[in-house]
Amino acid sequence: QVQLVESGGGLVQAGGSLRLSCAASGRTFSSYAMGWFRQAPGKEREFVAAISWSGGKTYYADSVKGRFTISRDNAKNTVYVQMNSLKPEDTAVYYCAAGGSVSITPLTSTAYNYWGQGTQVTVSS
């Protein structure tokens, strides 16, 4: 079992930055790939970024590539996403998720087993 708690969301002006954190409990954190997803009102949950169990491989949605950076610290059981040059269209509830394995880093929400409660990010224009 892995429990995930996100933090770091808030209100920011367009062009600003935020760093989201996701703290995990459980001894098996380092054996999972980690992902960030987001869901805006009236829209489906969408993939944002993912990172392999070791942190050696990262993946991004085209909409955030070059602006967001995902990272993890297995010693601290924490995954981060640094969000720069934020746009109003980045407004959403952001969720972290754990899933996959040491050989698979999923890019779809259905492949993730554990989810956090979400943190709101609002970008004003």
Side-chain angles (χ1 to χ4, degrees):
Q1 278 282 20
V2 177
Q3 293 183 328
L4 304 171
V5 179
E6 301 97 335
S7 61
L11 173 64
V12 64
Q13 289 187 333
S17 299
L18 283 174
R19 189 177 81 154
L20 305 183
S21 300
C22 174
S25 63
R27 293 174 294 175
T28 59
F29 171 78
S30 61
S31 64
Y32 287 105
M34 298 296 296
W36 284 97
F37 292 79
R38 66 188 182 186
Q39 187 166 18
K43 295 187 177 181
E44 294 185 352
R45 189 170 298 188
E46 65 174 0
F47 169 75
V48 173
I51 188 167
S52 63
W53 71 277
S54 66
K57 293 183 178 180
T58 57
Y59 306 86
Y60 297 94
D62 288 343
S63 59
V64 307
K65 201 171 293 183
R67 300 188 297 121
F68 290 13
T69 303
I70 188 172
S71 61
R72 67 189 294 165
D73 185 338
N74 286 345
K76 296 182 178 180
N77 279 12
T78 303
V79 63
Y80 308 94
V81 61
Q82 177 67 42
M83 306 186 297
N84 298 329
S85 301
L86 283 162
K87 304 175 181 180
E89 51 262 45
D90 294 318
T91 295
V93 177
Y94 283 71
Y95 299 89
C96 70
S101 67
V102 296
S103 57
I104 298 174
T105 303
L107 305 185
T108 57
S109 60
T110 54
Y112 283 85
N113 308 100
Y114 305 102
W115 292 83
Q117 83 289 350
T119 186
Q120 177 71 46
V121 171
T122 303
V123 184
S124 63
S125 56

